[in-house]
Amino acid sequence: MALDAESFELLQSTLRRFIRERLVPAEDVVEETDEVPVALVEEMKGLGLFGLSIPQDYGGIGLTMAQEAQVAWEFGHTALAFRSVFGTNVGIGSQGVLMDGTEAQKREFLPKVATGELVMSFALTEPDAGSDAAALTTKAVRDGDDYVLTGAKRFITNASRAGAFTLMARTGGPGPSGISAFIVPSKLAGVSLGKPDHKMGQRGTKTCDVLLEDVRVPARNLIGGVEGQGFKTAMKVLDRGRLHLSALSCGVAQRVVNEAVAYARSRKQFGQRIGDFQLVQAMLADSQAELYAGWSMVQDCARRYDAKPPGASDPDVSMRASCCKLFCTEMVGRVADRGVQVHGGAGYVRETKVERLYRDVRLLRLYEGTSQIQQLIIGRALVGRDAG
Ligand code: COS
């Protein structure tokens, strides 16, 4: 059951206030310390943020995709590290269990995911399998009531916070059909973490390698109880994640426009506000128009996503989610670049917010499928696999 419109409006205004009053003022601390303060994480739990997308039957809030997109937009107004704390629980970490898990798996894991007691991460990428996800080599070999997993996962968001991973490993032959998805508790013997990745931006977000050495995972943790479905589960999870990131990109673009407009209204050169110059207005106008286009796409695609049966895959919606990811993440890159340009030299120093925003948004065009992978998905959907 989705949240009714009135309750959703209340949630949205509460979150808006939380972001403005609690998160925005903490952005500099996150940037300096590379950590999200524990007290804020606890407040996020209290607000139900870890369970936004988990149905009420499993203890969450049960937002529709259209509602979740609105929330992602709101969180684009502050440092992306805050959303990242609960982002994997709402999206790629938990959705595989929700979409394809057995009822027993859902009952065991989702209520803890919804409260934030359990953080779940998504482990697909490997050192030699990034864009070509179907080339992954982490092995899962059945041994009695367990599978024994060996391999390495790379750039895993929230790995250091995670109590469990939705992890893709190979149970069969080469290619997508040999891949299965598992729920792998992080405390199992043989699971270890690599050093934290030092990233260009998004300080406060946590990524690192996850190493698996003869990890015995109970067979009951095979998602859905069926081998060979893991790649499709991962792709469905990513469709949804791409739409969420598109909404987030629009939120960040709005923040950049707000920052640039405020600066253009206050900064004076040649005896007048720089915002009175048409060349500055042109930059603001291009950003506003592109942001509006991106947000319209996201809202349309989210409505289509909600119209299909939950957990089912629809190639047309997948293609449109890739259109959103491609357009919105590239769009926010351009908007952030103009945001710096409007600020002039001040935009290159850390005292202005646009400097951080410019670095932070760079990742959006890379993770959950690069822009080139989105182009590939859209292109294939249009002309078919055998063409060319
Ligand atoms: N939903 C459901 N099933 C899907 C799907 C989707 N969105 N996309 C593909 N599938 C299915 C296909 O239908 C196919 O099934 P059949 O064999 O039954 O026909 C199977 O999965 C394999 O699909 P495909 O042949 O398209 O796989 P490819 O190896 O060619 O790769 C891409 C597809 C490149 C699109 C995929 O590897 C990809 O998205 N790569 C980027 C990975 C990524 O985003 N990484 C980020 C990690 S998380 S930060």
Side-chain angles (χ1 to χ4, degrees):
M1 200 178 65
L3 204 59
D4 64 87
E6 201 181 322
S7 307
F8 180 68
E9 252 173 56
L10 187 64
L11 174 73
Q12 205 179 6
S13 61
T14 305
L15 293 180
R16 215 172 268 162
R17 204 167 48 243
F18 174 66
I19 290 166
R20 301 289 186 276
E21 292 175 8
R22 302 287 294 142
L23 301 187
V24 171
E27 287 174 356
D28 290 345
V29 174
V30 173
E31 192 65 17
E32 279 157 30
T33 61
D34 201 14
E35 295 291 342
V36 175
V38 176
L40 290 176
V41 176
E42 290 306 311
E43 286 182 54
M44 289 180 194
K45 287 181 187 170
L47 288 165
L49 288 168
F50 286 77
L52 289 175
S53 62
I54 310 287
Q56 292 172 10
D57 283 353
Y58 303 106
I61 296 181
L63 298 187
T64 62
M65 193 63 224
Q67 290 170 332
E68 186 186 318
Q70 299 270 359
V71 172
W73 156 283
E74 299 294 346
F75 273 86
H77 287 71
T78 188
L80 294 183
F82 295 119
R83 188 214 60 102
S84 182
V85 169
F86 61 86
T88 53
N89 274 33
V90 169
I92 56 178
S94 70
Q95 288 295 318
V97 181
L98 183 61
M99 289 173 180
D100 288 341
T102 62
E103 193 52 35
Q105 289 166 345
K106 293 182 200 182
R107 297 256 162 240
E108 182 178 350
F109 292 98
L110 295 180
K112 286 184 269 181
V113 168
T115 58
E117 178 191 341
L118 175 70
V119 171
M120 280 194 85
S121 284
F122 181 72
L124 174 67
T125 300
E126 299 183 356
D128 294 320
S131 289
D132 186 6
L136 65 83
T137 58
T138 293
K139 254 200 301 199
V141 179
R142 181 79 190 234
D143 183 27
D145 287 342
D146 298 328
Y147 282 88
V148 180
L149 270 64
T150 311
K153 295 291 175 180
R154 177 137 297 172
F155 305 141
I156 304 306
T157 301
N158 277 342
S160 58
R161 297 170 171 137
F165 301 96
T166 294
L167 187 142
M168 271 48 71
R170 189 165 298 284
T171 47
S177 61
I179 295 172
S180 301
F182 294 88
I183 303 163
V184 179
S186 60
K187 63 172 191 317
L188 290 182
V191 177
S192 62
L193 302 181
K195 288 201 290 281
D197 299 320
H198 293 295
K199 298 184 286 300
M200 175 193 290
Q202 297 212 9
R203 282 175 64 77
T205 60
K206 301 292 171 193
T207 63
C208 68
D209 284 3
V210 176
L211 309 166
L212 303 130
E213 239 183 291
D214 295 331
V215 180
R216 296 194 82 88
V217 178
R220 66 170 192 281
N221 283 16
L222 171 67
I223 291 182
V226 198
E227 288 188 5
Q229 293 301 307
F231 188 79
K232 288 183 184 172
T233 299
M235 290 301 116
K236 285 195 288 180
V237 165
L238 285 170
D239 283 344
R240 201 177 177 290
R242 288 165 182 164
L243 199 41
H244 178 106
L245 287 183
S246 305
L248 183 71
S249 299
C250 293
V252 185
Q254 182 68 69
R255 168 80 186 266
V256 176
V257 168
N258 294 349
E259 296 283 344
V261 167
Y263 192 78
R265 282 163 173 262
S266 63
R267 171 78 175 160
K268 289 211 167 76
Q269 286 292 280
F270 303 102
Q272 54 183 315
R273 304 182 311 171
I274 61 167
D276 292 327
F277 292 111
Q278 289 181 342
L279 291 179
V280 172
Q281 287 177 6
M283 285 191 275
L284 299 175
D286 283 352
S287 293
Q288 181 63 36
E290 288 195 68
L291 160 58
Y292 183 39
W295 184 237
S296 303
M297 288 172 80
V298 169
Q299 286 182 299
D300 173 68
C301 190
R303 267 195 301 271
R304 291 171 190 268
Y305 191 96
D306 287 330
K308 70 178 181 54
S313 150
D314 176 336
D316 182 65
V317 175
S318 303
M319 185 273 282
R320 288 174 197 272
S322 285
C323 290
C324 291
K325 170 81 164 53
L326 173 62
F327 183 81
C328 295
T329 63
E330 293 283 339
M331 175 275 289
V332 72
R334 292 190 294 273
V335 169
D337 188 66
R338 290 187 203 110
V340 171
Q341 198 67 18
V342 169
H343 281 72
Y348 200 67
V349 298
R350 300 238 159 150
E351 281 67 30
T352 47
K353 299 291 182 195
V354 288
E355 181 273 341
R356 173 179 58 72
L357 292 163
Y358 179 81
R359 283 183 289 112
D360 283 358
V361 299
R362 189 63 186 85
L363 183 59
L364 295 165
R365 290 153 62 188
L366 303 172
Y367 64 178
E368 300 195 24
T370 60
S371 292
Q372 289 65 38
I373 287 295
Q374 310 313 324
Q375 288 172 318
L376 184 96
I377 293 169
I378 301 161
R380 277 181 182 179
L382 294 176
V383 297
R385 285 299 292 276
D386 297 330

